[in-house]
Amino acid sequence: MSGVQTLEVGPDEGDQRLDRWFKRRFPHIGQVRIEKMCRKGEIRVDGGRVKPATRLEVGQSVRIPPLPDEAAPQPFTKRDHVSAADAKMIQDAVIYRDDHIIALNKPPGLPTQGGSKQTRHVDGLAEALKFGFEDKPRLVHRLDKDTSGVLLLARTREAAKALTAAMRHRETRKIYWALVAGVPTPYLGEIRFGLMKAPGHGRKGEGEKMIAIHPRDMDQNPDAKRAHTLYATLYRVASRAAWVAMEPITGRTHQLRAHMAEIGHPIIGDGKYGGSGQENLGDGWGAQLGGIISKKLHLHARMMRFEHPVTHKDITITAPLPEHMAQSWETLGWDESLAADDPFEGVK
């Protein structure tokens, strides 16, 4: 075992999550152990307690508790080389770029960040998004692996800090499109169920699932976090399915997926919250429509609106539907141009 040591966050290591920084310095230490050390206060930054998601700044001091000998600190290194095919794929996904920001239309199936079983992800492929800059762009928010659409990266530390703060203070707007089972009524509404993690960390990823908590029961569930979603039913196919726009007022894990399932209209293709083996017969339950409709998740980050961190101009970025959703829209007789740019204008 090593003794207690203190390491300084280097010039190229700022503005990243503590757990990611830790794994790069100590690759033999797993995520579960990092989370445990944070809960017990064994890992500290500038003397204070931290969470795995705490973002580090250059020059901060990180207290490292005793670790197994084989987990000797590793020097910071750049990411592995990105293949030519992956470089083209991620560059083709760029839908907006200036000297401060890059926006992608993230493909479905591509994780935003790496995990225990994820080695190919946006964060790693960002090495191919330098476009003449010395450093790769930094992620400022996330999308689930199977969710497509607008994903922002900052090209400078200053832009990253400003965009992260804007999202934390809810100064950005995000509108998602989804194909859901059944037809939500009323057509325009809001969902205020709280969300908390399901117990357990079994093979089926139960620990990654969120449980919806009725607002009246929030006080009895201290681990639950308040969550708020606006939704608008844009078009429908009889009683079988509907094209829904959603705006997350809060930003909880799996918020849109859990909220739509809780009101009885799971997102098509959502095996975690809709039961991928259940056929939808028009009653709103079952996350598959059958026929030629894809079984992939039909959730897309359609639009993001925010104030540019440098020019302070209002920026609106819109992402076209991914191939599987575009095919479903064509099958159902819908076109992207049918939807209003902002179905929630004047609602809030």
Side-chain angles (χ1 to χ4, degrees), residues 98-172:
D98 62 27
D99 287 343
H100 311 281
I101 297 169
I102 288 177
L104 304 179
N105 184 2
K106 187 188 82 66
L110 180 67
T112 303
Q113 292 177 295
S116 58
K117 297 182 180 179
Q118 304 293 348
T119 57
R120 182 173 174 269
H121 44 78
V122 173
D123 190 31
L125 299 180
E127 286 288 339
L129 298 176
K130 292 180 179 179
F131 298 113
F133 277 42
E134 183 178 349
D135 297 324
K136 72 173 187 177
R138 301 166 170 83
L139 292 166
V140 294
H141 66 119
R142 294 180 57 188
L143 290 176
D144 288 347
K145 174 184 174 182
D146 294 320
T147 302
S148 58
V150 181
L151 182 69
L152 279 189
L153 297 92
R155 304 189 74 184
T156 66
R157 184 172 291 108
E158 294 73 19
K161 188 173 183 179
L163 288 170
T164 301
M167 293 184 187
R168 185 169 58 248
H169 296 122
R170 301 177 188 173
E171 296 169 351
T172 60

Side-chain angles (χ1 to χ4, degrees), residues 66-81:
L67 299 172
D69 292 337
E70 63 268 23
Q74 302 295 313
F76 174 78
T77 57
K78 294 291 185 183
R79 294 282 184 177
D80 292 338
H81 174 70

Side-chain angles (χ1 to χ4, degrees), residues 2 13 38 41 55 75 85 92 136 176 219 301 303:
S2 65
E13 298 179 295
C38 286
R55 300 194 81 83
D92 287 347
K136 72 173 187 177
Y176 290 71
D219 291 341
M303 185 273 282

Side-chain angles (χ1 to χ4, degrees), residues 273-290:
Y273 291 95
S276 58
Q278 296 176 324
E279 182 183 1
N280 170 243
L281 301 176
D283 57 357
W285 270 102
Q288 300 300 343
L289 289 179

